[in-house]
Amino acid sequence: MKGYEPHCLARNWNSGIAFPGDMLADSYNKKAVDEVAALNNYKDFRYKLEGGPHGAIHSAVGGDMSPATSPNDPIFFLHHAQIDRLWTLWQMEKPETRTTEFGGPKTQNRSNPGEATLDDVMPYLNLVPDIKVSEVMNTQTAKFCNSY
């Protein structure tokens, strides 16, 4: 990483082929989202959500939404609120099992990073107390009290 480099917000609004193109709409339209929601296990759901609606929005907006600096774009937070919503709606279809299904690699771009578990602790760098993943798997609890 190069460090702090002030610049104006950049967006490309692309489809990967033409500008602005269709902005990869087939990856996040109602049909695509319904296909993700219909999946029955977490692993398939996670891969399809990440590789479809989640990744496509980052690519379609482009610019600052593409690299690791994507939280610099205000659209990032709206987008991730929608991804959280889709995951919560999927969980609430079968809350007794889906609020405990979790996994995947702990980090990206590393060989053998290990599998994420519900016992992993999310560090908050003294902003708030660190918490386990298991404590935030259900948005319907007193900790969050979110409903969609």
Side-chain angles (χ1 to χ4, degrees):
M1 193 164 151
K2 298 176 185 178
Y4 181 64
E5 293 183 22
H7 66 280
C8 293
L9 180 65
R11 294 182 179 145
N12 290 342
W13 309 113
N14 72 82
S15 68
I17 298 169
F19 292 88
D22 68 358
M23 295 184 60
L24 308 170
D26 288 342
S27 296
Y28 52 86
N29 63 19
K30 180 173 178 8
K31 180 182 176 205
V33 170
D34 288 347
E35 287 174 7
V36 173
L39 295 168
N40 286 315
N41 69 70
Y42 173 75
K43 185 176 182 179
D44 292 343
F45 174 80
R46 180 175 65 87
Y47 282 126
K48 189 80 168 178
L49 183 65
E50 285 288 325
H54 175 255
I57 294 291
H58 281 277
S59 296
V61 173
D64 286 335
M65 274 287 280
S66 296
T69 58
S70 58
N72 292 338
D73 190 325
I75 288 176
F76 173 90
F77 298 98
L78 296 171
H79 171 49
H80 279 259
Q82 169 68 346
I83 296 301
D84 289 348
R85 177 183 163 275
L86 293 175
W87 186 15
T88 297
L89 294 174
W90 181 82
Q91 286 179 309
M92 292 302 106
E93 289 292 318
K94 296 180 183 175
E96 61 285 347
T97 57
R98 291 182 177 175
T99 55
T100 60
E101 291 182 280
F102 179 73
K106 285 188 181 186
T107 60
Q108 295 178 346
N109 305 321
R110 284 181 42 197
S111 61
N112 302 320
E115 280 289 307
T117 72
L118 292 170
D119 291 324
D120 288 337
V121 175
M122 297 185 294
Y124 284 95
L125 307 173
N126 297 317
L127 295 172
V128 295
D130 297 347
I131 54 176
K132 286 184 178 182
V133 171
S134 61
E135 296 177 57
V136 296
M137 288 294 291
N138 185 344
T139 64
Q140 307 286 309
T141 63
K143 191 176 286 280
F144 295 111
C145 199
N146 293 357
S147 61
Y148 295 102

